[in-house]
Amino acid sequence: MLAFLVQRIGQALLVMFVISVISFAIQDGLGDPLRQMVGQSVSDAEREQLREDLGLNDPFLVQYVRFATNAVQGDLGTSYFYGKPTLDVILEHLPATLELVIAASLMIAFLSVPIGVYAAIRPRAWLSKFFMGVSTVGISIPVFLTAIVLIQLFSIGVTVTWFPSDTGWGQWLNDFFSTDGGMPSYGRGDELTHLFGTWESNFFSGTGLLHLLLPAVSLASIMLPLFIRLIRAEMMEVLQSDYIRYAQAKGVSPRRINFLHALKNTMLPVITVGGVQIGIMVAYTILTETVFQWPGVGLMFLEAITRSDIPLIVAYLMVVGLVFVITNTVVDLVYGLVNPTVKLTGKKA
Amino acid sequence: MKRLLTACVSCLALAGAPMAGSAAEADKELKLAYDADPVTLDIHEQLSGGILQLSHMTFDPLIRWTKDLEFEPRLAKSWERIDDRTMRFHLREGVKFHSGNTLTSEDVKFTFDRLKKSQDFKAIFKPFSELKIVDDTTFDLVTNKPYPLLLNAATYIFPMDKAFYTGEDDNGNDKSAISKQGSTFASRNQSGTGPYVVTSRQQGVKVEFDRFDDYWDTESPGNVGHITLTPIKENNTRVSALLSGGVDFIAPVPPTDLERIKRDPKTDLVTMSGTRIITFQMNQERVEAFKDKRVRQAIAYAVNQEGIAAKIMKGFATPAAQLSPTGYQGHVDSLKPRFDVAKAKELMKEAGYEDGFTITMMAPNNRYVNDDKIAQAVAAMLARINIKVDLKTLPKAQYWPEFDNRAADMMMIGWHADTEDSANFYEFLTMCPDADSGNGQYNAGNYCNPELDKLVDQANVETDLDKRAALLQKVEQGLYDDAAFVPLHWQDLAWASKSNVKIEPILNVMNFPYIGDLVVE
């Protein structure tokens, strides 16, 4: 266990190092941050002076060593745009993203397991076929499209006039397909509950939850179909295995077989995949946050790129690298808990 | 689901209800979404649209522009010329800062001196030598030479509270310091004379304002008591926020959504022809053929400005044949876009380039409205006169360094004159490049006509506005005849609001809405 953690910390450091070198190496390609900081009529000479002050004219190695020396002391530089330490900026934006990811993960967890299990137990039921069909569509629609459609349907509202409104049934159908709108379409809303530090939460008020709903659904829409299909496939395979047949022969109740014996073994691969997917979800938040103007790290990162806010870009990449390492470590630990036969060692497999 | 929706709507309505206890005359709430928020609270740190919008909300200028580009007294109630280098201003009496201090000439002088130190603003105040205090409410603005744009520059003087911005902050730093790196006292705190006080600010998330109780302009019809400004960069999201009722006022409105907003009975759209010109420059140092006036003219004849404005900009741009928009002193009414492919081909033949040549072209793809599409269209138009274009479009962050390096034969640039004056266009875009004077800093065509430059210099010290207009118009005509650059269009401006928010009277071509005067029904 200890060896395992030591190995993971070593990995984390290596990841950080590689990311910092790469992001530092590409910074010239990210454009000139000065243009974002000065007005159009500032002369070349003054811009040059500012560039010198910011240390942008130093050779790559000098800049990198300066960065690394500070980074080791916990200082990842100062954002050009925010004028604050990059870590502070990221920590301010992180709660919004985490809450979005948590909300989406909860949705996925609470929907994918029952649906996946049902589809595995009753593969021929029309409802299963319906879920499978919808999930195929779900996988193939990009997240920003889902988001825009959700906004149109639930925030702006749609008035349908396809059917003759002078007849009772036509009016009824029109009403049936029309939506009211009125859901919040951007941001986190005003009613945030302060938890601690810079953490303002959406989870403790009606309006807060309402603001969270559409972005979380959009984000969940990418992963939900994947998990339904994964759980279904795994479950079906487990149901074919000998120990299940034996239990069935023994007359154990189907409910006990399905939810205790089979589900437990189904969840092992799902947890592994889940861990990786949470990391990927952090990446997808960039799209979701942009469409919903959700003030999290994804939106912050995208804007940092358009502003060539290099220190913030580097710091974000390093923090995300760390998040990946941590989630993978936690997943491996959880894996060990669910299936004690898995050994966590420091040795490579 | 229905119930949930209803609940949410009523929640929103509650949130939108006026807050109890605020002043009776200014009790309306306004939710505002711009595409960006001000980068700092220090109005001298950066010269940008966002900062000027903030300045007009939390500070007040000495004088300001009206809708038809006239000057309107604000903190200066009157002004008169003393001699050809001096203008005397009389301040309004009893104007209070947010801190409670009273505005005096000292504050104006402090502000003027600070402007001269600001990297971004000092170019505008270069022609000024000093600000002389006469008494508490009277002061003289003195220029080095006779300067016709004195009042234009005065619109940039938003008096700051001297007492508030003097001394040391908690960290022992000078409170009046201006810095683009890191935070300063002035970038976090404000004390202006304007209609609104910043009550909270999360950069990139939202800024909140409350109406200033002691605001001097009691005649203003403005009745907005509380403002929430949310930056929404994504065009679709900004429009959705308005259509769904999440915000009351948005800017800018993307051209693709104009129809949608016009159709919606609950929203109003206001558009105006803008003053930002979009052009291409032809680099004469990189391409021998561009030195030939006939080739440049051929290109000018080959480009169909009307077509670009109609098709690509969806009518949301004013086709241009010159730099100065209508209303500017240099504007020459007779100059019309000259689109004539036959004539263009003829000129190419005359110049000996009938078979054409190959050039490189660069344009940004996220700086101006539809910039990459415009560049593609121009490239296609040039193909018709046998000029083969190798086009590259880049995000603005990568584009500007390339522009500074003059990295392509034709490069796109858009320009808005900070002084709302034609001479500013010439100084930056068409005068012979000269590192010492800063002239031609953005002249990526390396076009150089000393005679026209001389006229601009003359105009810059000509205080007789009619004579000056004649000089500037001569320059504009000269540039047109020379085909110094390829003018495309002036970008139009658009704002949209809910119908009960009367934005039309407070908008102007400079794009700083006077929100202090906004009426919400």
Side-chain angles (χ1 to χ4, degrees), chain B residues 10-30:
Chain B
S10 51
C11 276
L12 284 180
L14 273 180
M19 310 226 293
S22 60
E25 63 272 19
D27 55 0
K28 301 286 189 201
E29 186 152 344
L30 181 75

Side-chain angles (χ1 to χ4, degrees), chain B residues 4 6 66 103 116 124 217 243 271 310 368 416 486 488 492:
Chain B
L4 184 65
T6 325
T66 62
L103 170 75
K116 290 211 77 153
I124 295 178
D217 190 357
L243 292 177
T271 59
Y368 310 113
H416 165 253
V486 189
L488 294 173
D492 283 1

Side-chain angles (χ1 to χ4, degrees), chain A residues 15-37:
Chain A
V15 169
M16 299 290 139
F17 174 70
V18 173
I19 290 177
S20 69
V21 172
I22 292 177
S23 40
F24 241 77
I26 58 169
Q27 63 166 272
D28 281 339
L30 292 173
D32 182 3
L34 269 299
R35 285 286 177 174
Q36 291 292 320
M37 299 168 73

Side-chain angles (χ1 to χ4, degrees), chain B residues 481-492:
Chain B
D481 295 341
D482 264 358
F485 58 95
V486 189
L488 294 173
H489 51 253
W490 294 285
Q491 271 181 358
D492 283 1

Side-chain angles (χ1 to χ4, degrees), chain A residues 243-304:
Chain A
Y243 76 96
I244 299 289
R245 287 171 188 279
Y246 177 68
Q248 282 169 338
K250 240 173 69 173
V252 180
S253 79
R255 174 166 304 184
R256 205 175 152 79
I257 295 177
N258 287 338
F259 290 98
L260 199 74
H261 300 286
L263 188 59
K264 200 171 163 187
N265 284 313
T266 303
M267 290 323 280
L268 283 175
V270 175
I271 288 170
T272 324
V273 177
V276 179
Q277 297 296 329
I278 282 185
I280 292 176
M281 209 140 88
V282 170
Y284 269 108
T285 56
I286 295 179
L287 288 173
T288 318
E289 288 181 6
T290 311
V291 178
F292 287 98
Q293 190 66 29
W294 190 260
V297 282
L299 184 64
M300 180 209 75
F301 177 63
L302 203 73
E303 296 194 339

Side-chain angles (χ1 to χ4, degrees), chain B residues 189-210:
Chain B
N189 302 282
Q190 270 194 346
S191 172
T193 59
Y196 295 101
V197 184
V198 177
T199 51
S200 86
R201 173 166 176 262
Q202 279 173 278
Q203 193 157 24
V205 180
K206 66 179 172 187
V207 192
E208 296 199 67
F209 303 87
D210 272 338

